[in-house]
Amino acid sequence: MAPDSRPGLRGRARRVAAQWPTVLLLGVLWMLLWGDIALGTFLAGVLLGLVVVAVLPLPSVGVRGAVRPWPLAVLVWRFVADLVLASFQVAWTALRPGPQPRGGVVAVPLRPAPDVLFVMTAELSSLVPGSLVVESDSAAAVLYLHVLDLAGSGGPDGVRRQTRALEERVLRAFGSAQALETAGLGPRGAAS
């Protein structure tokens, strides 16, 4: 082996070792994929995960954040509640007699935040039935949401209020102290 290839090999081994949570998650996903919860299946998944992480490395996101348990629990609880409620609202909208509701696209300006948290807000907004992100502008921090029943959602202002509340829950659950400060949600900023 050439002397200059060793640092690359060591660097790759360090990168794979640093991604052990990903490798374990891939092992669990492998068990779920096969529908066989067994040690052998898990170990095969871990081995395959090691190969995937070593051969197909993902670039570092480079975002500092935090996981705050209570705000995360609030985020999950409210998301599940919104999901269930919106499912019933969409079903009622589809089945009720009378004229069909008017939908629309609403521009929702968000707070300045890291791209990862912006994308998380967009994804959670799209997962709730009755709304879909049709465009996003991360540079200007604006989401464009198509809403199935604009009047039933409180109009454009109601959609903006709901989306900004979701964004605040995401920021409080995962944002770093600096991200919260920049968004006006830190100790010196007021919640909006």
Side-chain angles (χ1 to χ4, degrees):
M1 187 180 290
D4 54 329
S5 67
R6 288 187 144 268
L9 186 60
R10 272 192 230 133
R12 182 175 290 192
R14 270 194 300 264
R15 186 181 66 241
V16 170
Q19 293 188 2
W20 64 267
T22 303
V23 171
L24 292 178
L25 178 64
L26 289 171
V28 170
L29 290 175
W30 188 254
M31 283 191 318
L32 294 174
L33 178 69
W34 284 100
D36 180 25
I37 300 178
L39 181 61
T41 308
F42 175 72
L43 292 176
V46 167
L47 183 63
L48 184 63
L50 284 170
V51 171
V52 167
V53 168
V55 175
L56 305 169
L58 291 173
S60 174
V61 176
V63 174
R64 292 200 182 272
V67 177
R68 294 178 189 84
W70 179 249
L72 178 59
V74 170
L75 173 67
V76 170
W77 170 253
R78 281 297 308 268
F79 177 72
V80 170
D82 290 346
L83 194 65
V84 171
L85 179 63
S87 297
F88 282 111
Q89 289 172 336
V90 168
W92 172 247
T93 300
L95 298 174
R96 75 177 178 205
Q100 291 298 315
R102 294 190 57 138
V105 176
V106 179
V108 182
L110 299 178
R111 298 168 183 90
D115 285 344
V116 170
L117 301 177
F118 178 79
V119 169
M120 195 177 295
T121 302
E123 288 297 324
L124 290 174
S125 296
S126 279
L127 288 173
V128 174
S131 65
L132 179 69
V133 175
V134 292
E135 187 176 340
S136 66
D137 182 356
S138 62
V142 177
L143 287 180
Y144 296 91
L145 288 169
H146 179 272
V147 181
L148 179 65
D149 183 3
L150 196 53
S153 298
D157 290 334
V159 172
R160 287 185 192 102
R161 215 175 16 262
Q162 292 167 8
T163 307
R164 286 181 59 89
L166 170 64
E167 176 202 27
E168 182 176 335
R169 289 190 294 272
V170 167
L171 286 169
R172 290 194 184 281
F174 297 110
S176 66
Q178 181 181 359
L180 288 172
E181 185 77 28
T182 303
L185 300 172
R188 285 180 260 156
S192 56

